[in-house]
DNA sequence: TGATGCGCGTTACAAACCGTTACAAACCGT
DNA sequence: ACGGTTTGTAACGGTTTGTAACGCGCATCA
């Protein structure tokens, strides 16, 4: 039982010390994608256009009927679930290569609210064209289906995390997840900038932002990380992992 | 703001006082399904066989490669997420008309563990046949895709519930969800038998089983419900709803 | 038949964790 | 420099958990 899959990003050490991801470098990642969707291949079947983006606004305009899904090109987006009575829950963050809006397939309106964090851009894929491509190109069908299935699996592993880990462990697991996502995109997994506020992190982790602050401070005190506002340096991956429970959540 | 969608099952009052769902009556529901999947229509494209079922055993046999998805015919199944370190989280319950296993599409192994609760049966749909049908029958493609999308939306509303509601409210929301599921199948929404243990409920709601017990007792004290072990009578739907937050989670 | 063991459910009490509240410091744009 | 927003820190209090005890139903077995 000696640490299976213990090196989600330690094996990628080559790029673990790559450039810190800043808003600038985020926009120029390699175009090959780690998330199963190759932009060039899709473009052969579905007309895509780059989404003009205004920081802090929904990429889905409120009240508009559902007409497209989005493929994140740069930056990141937060996905929010809204209740009738005003409650709000961040259900995830999407980065380059992730799809946004697939859960609205089959609906007349959007299932969730999507908010672009600073400096984000996405490709807009008209939904009718996507459907047509799925029916005529088996490969597209397989891609969309496994993208949906992957979305479910990812949500489930967060349910596992939220249901079984205490506050501090959730924060550790979250940091490891962010790190491995950056690593997959070719950025450093040991030094990165969180693109979301403490409040967004807290909502996603089902905590209060003060609790997130305390947890981060404590992880800092234990020398697992070095954190200053949104800048994070991972000092002890092993320690973080044991804190999060080996293989906690994530992928 | 006067109570939108306030009558998820109050409008179906005609069947709200139908027969109590016992293990016997559960097996003979009408064959028309409320969940978007019509068994007879599917059978035209995909060979199905009734799954022999042994209470308490996985319907996915451990170690076997992924080869089918399942359509629940009777009873209910619980879906479990497992972590490497032994943590376990119930991520949902599936009833008649629900699909099981769609999240494993595209994988060599199963994403979650599935455990049949007492008296449950399912239709087995061989996965290759399902895929073939999706490519040749547009309607099948739409059905599978929206089943996957619905799965995502359902998971997300539970994240909303877990992230924003306190313990007692979660329990109330859970009861309302169970009630509306029974109503959709034509059973009473005001008098039903919970098919899962307190421990399973607790895991699903990210609580401890004692907390679930206390919450149920308190709902009983407030005369919202009448509960005796697994038998539940809903006495005050309105009260339950305000407890859960109007329109909380569900569906 | 009655005894025993086991899992499930309920309740009480104490302890721990996290949320609440409040305030101060750092950062940002103007 | 200014005000507003975000983040950090601390003390307090409440909700949830942990622990333990007990009742109940059911299966096993003498």
């Amino acid at each position: 039982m000696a640490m299976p899959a213990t090196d989600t990003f330690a094996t990628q050490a080559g790029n673990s010390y790559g450039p810190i991801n800043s808003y600038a470098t985020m926009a120029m990642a390699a175009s090959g994608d780690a998330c199963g969707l190759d932009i060039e291949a899709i473009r052969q079947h579905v007309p895509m256009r780059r989404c003009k983006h205004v920081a802090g606004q929904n990429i889905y305009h409120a009240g508009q009927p559902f007409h497209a899904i989005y493929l994140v090109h740069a930056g990141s987006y937060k996905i929010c679930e809204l209740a009738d009575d005003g409650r709000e829950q961040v259900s995830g963050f999407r980065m380059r290569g992730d799809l946004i809006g697939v859960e609205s397939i089959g609906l007349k309106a959007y299932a969730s609210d999507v908010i672009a964090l600073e400096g984000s851009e996405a490709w807009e894929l008209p939904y009718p064209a996507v459907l047509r491509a799925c029916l005529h190109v088996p490969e597209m069908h397989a891609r969309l289906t496994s993208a949906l299935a992957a979305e479910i699996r990812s949500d489930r592993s967060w349910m596992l995390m939220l249901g079984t880990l205490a506050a501090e462990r959730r924060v550790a697991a979250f940091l490891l997840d962010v790190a491995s996502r950056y690593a997959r995109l070719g950025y450093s997994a040991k030094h990165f900038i969180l693109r979301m506020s403490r409040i967004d992190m807290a909502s996603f982790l089902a905590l209060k932002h003060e609790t997130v602050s305390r947890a981060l401070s404590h992880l800092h005190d234990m020398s697992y990380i070095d954190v200053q506002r949104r800048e994070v340096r991972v000092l002890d991956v092993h320690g973080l992992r044991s804190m999060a429970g080996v293989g906690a959540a994530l992928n």
Side-chain angles (χ1 to χ4, degrees), chain A residues 30 138 150-151 163 181-182 204 226 238 248:
Chain A
E151 195 99 350
R181 281 155 161 259
Y182 277 136
F204 179 58
D226 187 352
H238 210 76

Side-chain angles (χ1 to χ4, degrees), chain A residues 43-239:
Chain A
R43 202 203 296 273
Q44 292 175 4
H45 305 292
V46 179
M48 296 164 44
R49 70 175 193 83
R50 195 64 146 282
C51 229
K52 284 197 299 294
H53 148 265
V54 182
Q57 288 197 340
N58 300 353
I59 82 171
Y60 287 169
H61 301 293
Q64 299 284 49
F66 174 64
H67 71 290
I69 61 181
Y70 294 83
L71 178 59
V72 179
H73 173 260
S76 51
Y77 294 82
K78 71 174 184 191
I79 315 293
C80 293
E81 311 302 312
L82 304 171
D84 322 0
D85 57 5
R87 280 174 297 127
E88 196 178 321
Q89 169 74 20
V90 174
S91 61
F93 301 96
R94 298 289 176 271
M95 297 175 54
R96 178 183 177 82
D98 293 336
L99 283 176
I100 293 177
V102 283
E103 75 281 357
S104 296
I105 285 177
L107 298 182
K108 296 265 164 90
Y110 310 123
S112 346
D113 198 17
V114 178
I115 293 172
L117 303 181
E118 204 179 347
S120 303
E121 273 185 285
W123 292 102
E124 185 183 69
L125 313 183
Y127 184 51
V130 171
L131 273 196
R132 242 180 287 118
C134 283
L135 286 174
H136 298 130
V137 187
E139 202 185 39
M140 274 296 292
H141 171 262
R143 280 199 164 121
L144 184 66
T145 305
S146 52
L148 280 153
E151 195 99 350
I152 296 174
R153 295 194 300 270
S154 151
D155 286 351
R156 297 275 169 83
S157 33
W158 285 111
M159 291 176 74
L160 172 61
M161 188 209 65
L162 295 177
T164 58
L165 297 184
E168 211 166 274
R169 290 166 179 265
R170 288 184 215 174
V171 174
F174 179 76
L175 291 178
L176 286 172
D177 183 53
V178 171
S180 75
R181 281 155 161 259
Y182 277 136
R184 221 175 309 152
L185 292 177
Y187 298 112
S188 172
K190 305 212 162 183
H191 183 196
F192 50 84
I193 306 286
L194 295 170
R195 301 181 67 90
M196 72 291 295
S197 70
R198 295 286 188 268
I199 291 183
D200 288 340
M201 279 178 62
S203 171
F204 179 58
L205 298 173
L207 299 169
K208 296 296 161 193
H209 66 94
E210 294 91 336
T211 306
V212 173
S213 271
R214 272 185 300 228
L216 287 173
S217 300
H218 192 224
L219 291 175
H220 191 128
D221 293 346
M222 318 225 335
S223 299
Y224 291 165
I225 59 172
D226 187 352
V227 56
Q228 242 152 14
R229 297 186 71 83
R230 298 200 182 183
E231 183 174 1
V232 175
R233 256 171 234 275
V234 177
L235 304 178
D236 182 356
V237 179
H238 210 76

